[in-house]
């Protein structure tokens, strides 16, 4: 089964970043991963295989760690550096989230 969700371009980047990185209990196993991807871990970085043309189009400086401001702007479908829109066209969706998961019967069979 695949779940499908739209991420609205009109969303609040600050709320999305907070949701993905904060509000976790100290013993939550996902907290370490969220800390890494939220840019609070000094080892955090943008994708090392990101094409320079893509980074330039998104306003990402590959030599700097991802920061809160840059992530929030990207979640709002804006450039990471200046906050300008990616395009002159009106955008209502900034991304799609597709999550593949097996049917419940498959999960039970594995157990």
């Amino acid at each position: 089964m695949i779940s499908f969700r739209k991420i609205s371009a009109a969303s609040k980047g600050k709320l999305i970043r907070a949701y993905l990185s904060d509000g976790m209990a100290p013993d939550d196993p996902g907290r370490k991963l969220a800390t890494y991807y939220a840019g609070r871990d000094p080892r955090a970085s943008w994708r090392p295989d990101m094409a320079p043309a893509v980074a330039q189009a998104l306003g990402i400086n590959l030599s700097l760690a991802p920061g809160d401001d840059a992530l929030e702007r990207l979640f709002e479908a804006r450039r990471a550096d200046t906050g300008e829109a990616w395009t002159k066209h009106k955008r209502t969706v900034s991304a799609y989230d597709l999550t593949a998961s097996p049917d419940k019967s498959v999960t039970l069979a594995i157990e």
Side-chain angles (χ1 to χ4, degrees):
M1 174 175 15
I2 295 180
S3 65
F4 171 78
R5 301 284 185 266
K6 295 178 187 176
I7 299 175
S8 171
S11 61
K12 300 291 183 200
K14 186 172 282 201
L15 295 177
I16 294 173
R17 191 222 9 103
Y19 172 76
L20 294 174
S21 62
D22 295 334
M24 295 181 171
D27 60 343
D28 188 325
R31 185 178 178 87
K32 186 174 184 180
L33 187 64
T35 300
Y36 175 83
Y37 282 107
R40 294 192 180 97
D41 187 316
R43 297 172 295 165
S45 65
W46 299 104
R47 286 186 61 105
D49 61 344
M50 184 184 297
V54 171
Q56 183 179 7
L58 295 175
I60 294 173
N61 183 344
L62 294 174
S63 65
L64 299 176
D68 288 351
D69 290 340
L71 291 172
E72 291 166 9
R73 290 175 183 148
L74 289 171
F75 289 135
E76 295 173 357
R78 298 185 293 139
R79 288 180 53 91
D81 54 357
T82 62
E84 295 175 10
W86 290 339
T87 179
K88 295 175 184 173
H89 302 286
K90 182 172 171 44
R91 298 180 65 96
T92 57
V93 176
S94 61
Y96 295 100
D97 179 24
L98 300 171
T99 305
S101 59
D103 186 65
K104 186 184 278 189
S105 62
V106 174
T107 305
L108 291 173
I110 291 172
E111 289 296 322

